Amino acid sequence: EMSEISEKSKQNVAHGLAWSYYVGYLKIVLPRLKKSMEEFSRANPNLPACRKTWKLHILVPLNCDVYDDLEKADSNIHYVTDLTETILARAGTKKRAYKHSLYAIMDEENQLWHCAVEYATPLQSLYAMSQDECAAFSREERLEQAKLFYRTLEEILKGSKECADAYRLIAYEEPEEAETHFLSREIVWHLRQEHHEEIAVLEGNHPHTPSTTLNSAELNLQISVSDLPQPLRSDGF
């Protein structure tokens, strides 16, 4: 009965996508990210190094509108290079490559901020499902699924010691009226917060951790305790 209720409400879709994204990707790449950033920083000493920004910035647009080319999403976002690849044998594929792209984000004062940034790829699946008659996803259901995906992923990552301080979720809603540099401003806001955190630590202060642009409470999604992801376990089950 519970399975039928979950299937009808489609809650299992967002949960499954979030867990698959974590287990099949984030848990693999995030523990290795800082090493890649350190290698890049040593090879490029001319670029400013803010260690607090040495994390993967994961974009979560709640409308599930994902661009394959970030430079086309916002002209203030410029591709710089790819970080060092992680090569692993995975599910029968030998030498599978995982890599991240480094971007320079220009702010309103023409200052450049460098960071690794990419979209949460499962949102592409949610968008595709809303366009497929077989999935029967309405636009409203897609929005609720995107919110649930974000909440679930947030809870999973909070419980993951391997991924601690190696990511930043950037959830946002696109403005009703198109803004040319909306995305770059969103990213820069987070980079500035991280930069302020690093300065505070160096000065011996104890900065509070700023919330993301849209935090869990602001997503306005009612989720019961039983709907939330279960705590991660280390016993292999």
Side-chain angles (χ1 to χ4, degrees):
E1 183 179 352
M2 290 301 296
S3 178
E4 185 177 351
I5 292 173
S6 179
E7 184 174 352
K8 287 181 178 179
S9 65
K10 298 187 177 71
Q11 290 177 349
N12 53 331
V13 174
H15 278 115
L17 287 174
W19 275 104
S20 177
Y21 184 49
Y22 168 71
V23 175
Y25 179 63
L26 296 180
K27 192 176 181 181
I28 298 170
V29 301
L30 290 183
R32 298 169 171 83
L33 182 66
K34 286 192 181 295
K35 181 180 179 181
S36 294
M37 293 295 293
E38 287 173 359
E39 291 174 353
F40 177 82
S41 183
R42 285 197 298 269
N44 298 271
N46 57 312
L47 293 179
C50 175
R51 289 179 177 271
K52 269 290 185 179
T53 65
W54 288 5
K55 55 187 68 176
L56 183 61
H57 297 77
I58 303 171
L59 303 176
V60 186
L62 297 181
N63 65 358
C64 299
D65 192 3
V66 172
Y67 286 80
D68 288 325
D69 189 340
L70 272 171
E71 292 178 305
K72 292 182 179 178
D74 190 320
S75 60
N76 278 352
I77 301 175
H78 306 283
Y79 168 79
V80 177
T81 188
D82 289 331
L83 298 178
T84 306
E85 292 182 344
T86 295
I87 308 295
L88 297 173
R90 188 74 176 168
T93 301
K94 291 184 178 294
K95 298 182 179 180
R96 181 168 181 177
Y98 298 86
K99 66 180 180 180
H100 309 289
S101 295
L102 189 76
Y103 288 88
I105 318 295
M106 183 182 296
D107 64 16
E108 63 277 4
E109 298 174 353
N110 295 327
Q111 178 183 351
L112 293 179
W113 299 75
H114 294 84
C115 70
V117 59
E118 60 190 50
Y119 286 100
T121 51
L123 296 178
Q124 287 182 311
S125 299
L126 283 178
Y127 187 86
M129 291 176 70
S130 70
Q131 305 298 307
D132 194 310
E133 293 182 1
C134 295
F137 255 32
S138 68
R139 182 177 298 181
E140 292 74 18
E141 287 174 324
R142 185 183 70 199
L143 175 60
E144 293 306 304
Q145 288 295 313
K147 291 178 180 179
L148 183 56
F149 170 82
Y150 171 78
R151 286 284 305 275
T152 306
L153 183 62
E154 183 183 47
E155 290 295 324
I156 293 170
L157 288 170
K158 280 181 179 178
S160 174
K161 294 180 180 179
E162 300 98 323
C163 300
D165 201 35
Y167 70 92
R168 190 176 183 102
L169 298 179
I170 304 178
Y172 59 90
E173 290 185 289
E174 293 276 2
E176 293 184 5
E177 295 185 7
E179 296 182 24
T180 307
H181 300 302
F182 169 79
L183 184 56
S184 59
R185 285 200 301 271
E186 287 290 308
I187 298 172
V188 166
W189 185 89
H190 285 269
L191 294 174
R192 280 178 174 151
Q193 294 299 317
E194 292 165 343
H195 185 70
H196 293 330
E197 289 173 27
E198 181 175 58
I199 292 175
V201 170
L202 292 175
E203 292 178 349
N205 297 326
H206 298 283
H208 69 280
T209 302
S211 60
T212 55
T213 307
L214 284 179
N215 59 33
S216 298
E218 291 173 321
L219 291 179
N220 192 27
L221 179 64
Q222 297 298 321
I223 305 177
S224 69
V225 174
S226 61
D227 289 332
L228 289 173
Q230 297 303 306
L232 297 177
R233 296 174 59 178
S234 58
D235 53 7
F237 293 93

